[in-house]
Amino acid sequence: MSTGTTVTLADLTRMLRESAGEEEGVDLDGDVLDVSFDDLGYDSLAMLEVIGQVQREYGVRLPDETVADADTPRALLALINAGGDLPGAG
Amino acid sequence: MTRAVVTGLGVAAPNGLGTEAFWKATLAGRTGLAPLTRFDATQYPSVLAGEIKGFVAEDHIPSRLMPQTDHMTRIALAAADWAIGDAGADLRRLPEYGMGVVTAASGGAVEFGQRELENLWSKGKEHVSAYQSFAWFYAVNTGQISIRHKMRGPSGVLLTEQAGGIDALGHARRHIRKGTPLVVSGGVDAALCPWGWVPQIASGLMSTARDPDRAYLPFSADARGYVVGEGGAVIVVEDAASARERGAPRVYGEIAGYAATMDPAPGSGRPPGLRRAAENALADARLTARDIDVVFADGAGVLALDRAEAAAISGLFGPRGVPVTVPKTMTGRLLAGGAALDVATALLALRDGVIPPTVNVPDPAPDYGLDLVTDRPRDTAPRSALVLARGYGGFNAALVLRRTDD
């Protein structure tokens, strides 16, 4: 796909809030780039919901197998901005 | 025998949000029936409902749960919080596997499900929420209450249409008797959306009246169907000894008797099963009709059903032999939440020694032989109550409650 737009952490946290809410005791505006989604309170279903929103809003295809490995915001943003293929992977 | 007692109530009703707000409104005869506002019902034959007012979900539901819960489940979670709080804060010290959840349901979270089906058909599968996988499910209230309060004991959901609230409590008592010290039970329903509305209309039992005060008239010669509402009650049931041991702040009453029956197939010529349910519940409680101080009737508001219930009650208690009331004239029938709310109302009646009224039926049909409590509360200090419920498809359920200080 064409990656005219870069998805930022602010975009991602907005979609996390909209699709899956924010865990009590977690501040998504804090330093969360390398905190695992698990520690941020998002289970696999929440991630499925968020990924769905990313795909709809940005027109990017994110295959389940690659998403499963992106377990932090930094990793997921890299995946999204690479257009769905993990940088350096296959 | 282990005794099952009620130690906590959480009520969400169209005429009052929270137990005491509901009880005050009910004793004052204030109705919650009005024209529907939750969706545009003008194209349907039935346009009135009992809607819960003033429920702000964000005030009760954590952010993480908002995208994955239907309106119905949010109300259920709030009512469960209230019931558990009412039962006493140290409840969290009970073992996780010693606490279960058994609630009643009808069609599940139909409003959530309808929205996602609309997304599927109008926008495509990419627009269907991943939470649809469970959020619509009829066991969802039980599941979310169980998760939120870490109650991992025996749990389940019962679907017996509008009799479900009583059947859930009967099942909760079964778990108590098998050794689970505490079960959160009752039922909360909310199906005020087109998908929830249409099957009720199809039953042919819904009122098509436009005036909220003339729409739902159980035991009146002018009965013309019922009005549907949303809400219900969550009820904490405990083993009496365990409740005493942990210092439960109050006991509303004991679930002394329970029974359920099915109506025979149409055309069989055999009588309907409601009276047998009431008799079996009394026998289960080791009581007789003379021991019952008040009957909370099912009160369908449908002529044939009212006549059958009146025959059951006057047959069992004698003509005008016991005070009968239908406070759900102020809330509408709450589907899976209705019988649970009636049980909560009966327990409040036992607590305060007063029978709440049936509104809008000043002149019950004389040939029914019922002593209906109309217009205003009756201060007769009831100590025991029989609660009756019926569900579409032939379900009958009866519950006997009594004060425990007898």
Side-chain angles (χ1 to χ4, degrees):
Chain A
M1 64 160 259
S2 67
T3 49
T5 315
T6 301
V7 180
T8 65
L9 180 63
D11 297 324
L12 181 60
T13 53
R14 172 183 57 79
M15 289 185 283
L16 284 165
R17 284 197 180 100
E18 286 174 7
S19 278
E22 186 169 3
E23 186 74 33
E24 280 168 46
V26 166
D27 179 12
L28 288 179
D29 296 328
D31 188 10
V32 297
L33 255 183
D34 295 306
V35 182
S36 74
F37 288 118
D38 203 32
D39 287 340
L40 291 173
Y42 299 111
D43 54 20
S44 59
L45 203 57
M47 291 314 296
L48 197 61
E49 185 72 356
V50 173
I51 298 297
Q53 186 177 357
V54 172
Q55 295 187 125
R56 290 194 300 273
E57 283 200 20
Y58 293 92
V60 59
R61 287 273 305 120
L62 300 171
D64 291 347
E65 352 24 297
T66 56
V67 165
D69 294 330
D71 57 355
T72 63
R74 187 190 298 278
L76 183 59
L77 285 168
L79 180 67
I80 295 166
N81 289 320
D85 297 315
L86 267 182
Chain B
M1 173 76 88
T2 309
R3 292 199 306 156
V5 295
V6 172
T7 55
L9 298 177
V11 171
N15 63 342
L17 189 56
T19 304
E20 296 310 322
F22 159 74
W23 184 229
K24 198 176 161 192
T26 297
L27 289 178
R30 271 202 301 279
T31 184
L33 304 188
L36 254 165
T37 63
R38 287 186 58 83
F39 69 97
D40 178 8
T42 51
Q43 60 183 311
Y44 298 102
S46 298
V47 297
L48 301 175
E51 294 179 343
I52 288 178
K53 307 289 186 205
F55 180 77
V56 180
E58 288 78 3
D59 294 348
H60 306 282
I61 305 300
S63 161
R64 275 286 281 115
L65 283 179
M66 287 297 290
Q68 55 178 288
T69 46
D70 181 62
H71 179 61
M72 172 191 82
T73 301
R74 294 171 186 170
I75 297 171
L77 282 168
D81 284 357
W82 297 333
I84 289 165
D86 191 35
D90 62 346
L91 185 146
R92 285 166 196 283
R93 290 163 59 189
L94 291 175
E96 288 180 5
Y97 289 91
M99 297 185 284
V101 185
V102 178
T103 66
S106 59
V110 288
E111 192 174 9
F112 194 108
Q114 170 166 351
R115 189 183 66 224
E116 297 311 319
L117 279 178
E118 285 173 356
N119 286 340
L120 175 66
W121 291 333
S122 64
K123 298 180 193 159
K125 63 179 164 50
E126 299 79 12
H127 293 263
V128 176
S129 166
Y131 293 121
Q132 168 70 357
S133 56
F134 64 80
W136 71 273
F137 189 40
Y138 42 77
V140 69
N141 290 354
T142 284
Q144 291 284 18
I145 293 169
S146 160
I147 293 165
R148 186 162 161 80
H149 296 282
K150 296 189 173 59
M151 297 176 159
R152 297 167 189 264
S155 295
V157 58
L158 280 98
L159 287 81
T160 53
E161 222 265 328
Q162 299 186 37
I166 286 179
D167 288 319
L169 287 160
H171 198 60
R173 188 181 68 157
R174 207 171 287 139
H175 285 315
I176 301 280
R177 286 178 170 174
K178 286 183 182 170
T180 301
L182 182 145
V183 181
V184 172
S185 189
V188 170
D189 214 341
L192 302 182
C193 65
W195 191 8
W197 209 236
V198 170
Q200 289 295 322
I201 292 170
S203 74
L205 306 178
M206 268 177 94
S207 176
T208 55
R210 306 270 148 166
D211 175 357
D213 292 334
R214 296 294 298 158
Y216 176 35
L217 307 171
F219 302 119
S220 162
D222 295 331
R224 58 192 57 186
Y226 59 74
V227 175
V228 168
E230 63 181 351
V234 174
I235 296 172
V236 177
V237 186
E238 283 188 77
D239 168 61
S242 158
R244 198 179 315 114
E245 207 169 289
R246 75 168 179 89
R250 69 189 65 77
V251 169
Y252 286 93
E254 179 188 0
I255 298 177
Y258 160 72
T261 62
M262 287 297 296
D263 285 337
S268 73
R270 289 184 287 133
L274 185 63
R275 177 170 173 173
R276 200 156 39 85
E279 287 169 339
N280 292 353
L282 284 170
D284 182 46
R286 298 174 196 280
L287 296 176
T288 68
R290 281 194 306 279
D291 300 314
I292 297 297
D293 297 327
V294 57
V295 173
F296 285 73
D298 176 59
V302 175
L303 278 172
L305 290 168
D306 286 353
R307 191 173 296 119
E309 184 173 27
I313 294 171
S314 62
L316 190 53
F317 292 91
R320 302 182 59 85
V322 66
V324 175
T325 191
V326 192
K328 62 167 82 78
T329 44
M330 291 171 257
T331 64
R333 296 178 69 87
L334 310 185
L335 309 182
L341 181 61
D342 271 344
V343 170
T345 313
L347 288 164
L348 292 166
L350 298 186
R351 182 190 73 179
D352 292 349
V354 56
I355 301 174
T358 308
V359 301
N360 299 328
V361 190
D363 47 356
D367 55 321
Y368 286 173
L370 294 185
D371 172 18
L372 197 68
V373 177
T374 58
D375 295 333
R376 60 178 57 82
R378 201 184 284 182
D379 297 306
T380 53
R383 308 188 64 80
S384 61
L386 172 68
V387 187
L388 301 176
R390 288 174 294 187
Y392 189 78
F395 299 102
N396 303 288
L399 201 72
V400 175
L401 302 163
R402 68 176 168 200
R403 289 180 60 122
T404 50
D405 52 358
D406 283 353

